[in-house]
Amino acid sequence: MRGIILRIFGILFLSFVSLSSQAETLKAKRFIGYLQKGNFCSTEFLKEFNGTIFSTLSKELYVLNCPVENENLEVKNPYVKFIYAKKLKKQGKTEEAKKLFKEIFSSTNRLDPEIITANAGDTKYLFTPEVLRKKVWIAIKDREFAEAEVYLSFLKTDPFYNYFKGIIQLKRGNYRKAKEYLESSNIPLRYFFLIYVSKEPAEKFFYFRKLLTENVPAYYKKAASVYLLDRFLVGEGGFYRKMLDSIKTLFPKVYRTYRIKYEVINYNYEKAINLIATPQNEKEKVWRETLKAKLGFKSDYSFLIGKKDFYALLLSKPKKVVKEGNVEISNPDIKYLLSNNYCPVISLLDLKSKDIPLALYKCGYYSAALKAAVKLKVKKPLQILYPKPKIFGDDFISLAIARQESLFNHLALSRSGAIGLMQIMPLTGRYLAKKLGDTDFFKEKLFIPEVNYRFGSFYIHSLLKKFKSFPLAAAAYNCGPGNLKKALKNYGKIKTKEDLIIFVDFYLPFKETRDYVKKVSRNLYFYSNLYGTGQEWKSFLKP
C-alpha cells in the first residue's frame, strides 16, 4: 500500500515536459504538469480531474499533500485513507476520523501499528467483538496465525472463540486439536470444518447431515457436498449413495452430475448414457459421445467444431487463433502517458478506458494488464491475455502453468503458502533446490523471478517426462504426484482421447484440479499459436 506513495513521488522527479498550446486540452499533460509543479492543493486540481481516469489518483495526491478541509472525499487506498483520517483528527473532526480508522482497521491488518499509535489512549472503539472477529479472520486467511491468536485473546468470552481456535489449528494441520475446539463451539458453520478434520467416512457424513440442518449460506453446503462426493466416489459406495439421497432436492444439478459419475466409475456406461440422453449442457454432450465411443459406437463431436475449450482441443478441430497486428491506443491521454514513459502513472489510473490494459501490457506490467483486461472485458490483442515475459523464453509449458498460477505476479503468495510466478510451496522448493544443486536455499528466494521460474520449469517438465502427457503433468503439479498416481491406479492405462476425458472428469479427485487441467491446457494452445508454430500443443494433449 505504501508502494503507491513511492511511485507517486517518483513521478515528481520525472523530466520536465513543456506544455504546448496544441496539447493544452490533454488531461494527461495537465496532470503531469501538476505533478511536476507539486501543485495539488487547489480546488481546481480536484475539480479538473473529477470523473476522469485521473479521479482517484488526484484525490489521493490531494489527501497526501494538502490540509484536507472536505471530509466527504472518497478514497479507496487504505494507506491514503489512514492519512486522511489522521488529518481529520488533527482538525478536530474526531467522529469522522474514527469512522475511517475503524473502516481501515476492520478491512486490513497491514496498518495496525499505525492506527493503534494514532489512537493512543482511545482504542476501545476499535476493539469491539465485531471488528476483532474480522481481524482474526483476515489473519487466518493471510496465514498469520500468531497475529490471529493475539486478536483472539481479546475474544476469550466470545461465542466465536473456540470456532476460530479450531480453524487456526486446522490451517496449521493439527486436526485433532482442531476437532476438539470445533466440537466445543456453538457456531453453526463449525460443521463445515468438522467435515474436513474428521477421518472416518461415517463421521464426515454425520457432520454433513448436521450442516444441512443449520442456517448457513448454501455455498458452504454445496461445497461440502462436492467435497464429500469426490471423497466417497471411489471405495465408499454406501456413503456415496446416502450423499446423493441427501442432496437430490437441495442441489439437483450436483445430484445429476454425480449420479452420472457413479455409473461411469462403476463401468455402467449404458446407464450413464441413458441418464444424459437429453444433455443439459455441452459437458454432458461430451460425456454422452465419449461413453458411446468407449462402447464401440460412433460418436459425433461436430458441436465442438470451432471452439477452443479442453474438449474441442482433444476431440475436434479447434478454431484458428487469429494473430492481431499492431493494435493502437485510441485514448489520447493514455497514448500521451505511454509515449512519454509515464508507466507508473498508468498503473494507478481508474479503470475507465479499455486502452489501459494495452498500455499496461506495453509497459511490461503483465499481471496488472491481464487483470485489467478481464475486468474491462478486453479481448484484443490476445497477447494481453496471454503475455510472454522474457524470462520464460519459448517455454510454452511453463507459460501455460504460470499464467494460471499467478498471472505472472512474481510476488504472489497464496493462502496455502505457495510462492511466486509458478506458485511453489516451500517444501517443494527445498526438494527442487536439492535437485538443482542450490545449497543456499531459503523459501524467500522463491520470490526471485529467475529462481522461481528455474524451479517451476524444472518441476513441470520433470512431471511431463514422468507422466508423458501435459494434462496429467498439470494435474500432478496441482494436486501432487501421489494423488494423481492413485487416480491412475483406479482408472487404468489411458490409451485414447476418450480415456483422457473420462479420467479428468470422473477420476481426478478434486474439482479444483479438474478445472485447472482444462484451463492450463487451453493456455498451452494459445501460447503455441501466438508465439510458436501452432503445433507445439498437439503432442502434449495426446494421451
Side-chain angles (χ1 to χ4, degrees), residues 203-238:
E203 201 170 24
K204 286 179 178 289
F205 183 69
F206 170 77
Y207 287 126
F208 176 73
R209 294 296 298 271
K210 287 285 190 181
L211 180 68
L212 293 184
T213 65
E214 296 291 346
N215 183 24
V216 300
Y219 163 81
Y220 290 101
K221 296 178 181 180
K222 187 175 181 180
S225 300
V226 171
Y227 163 75
L228 285 177
L229 286 166
D230 282 338
R231 172 70 173 74
F232 294 153
L233 184 56
V234 178
E236 298 292 347

Side-chain angles (χ1 to χ4, degrees), residues 99-142:
K99 182 181 177 182
L100 284 181
F101 281 131
K102 195 169 183 179
E103 282 180 14
I104 308 163
F105 197 64
S106 300
S107 62
T108 178
N109 291 353
R110 303 303 180 194
L111 292 168
D112 290 359
E114 291 89 342
I115 293 172
I116 292 171
T117 301
N119 287 272
D122 185 22
T123 58
K124 188 175 181 180
Y125 78 95
L126 294 171
F127 286 75
T128 65
E130 180 185 13
V131 171
L132 287 168
R133 290 171 196 158
K134 292 179 180 177
K135 302 291 289 180
V136 173
W137 189 241
I138 291 169
I140 289 173
K141 288 195 293 183
D142 291 340

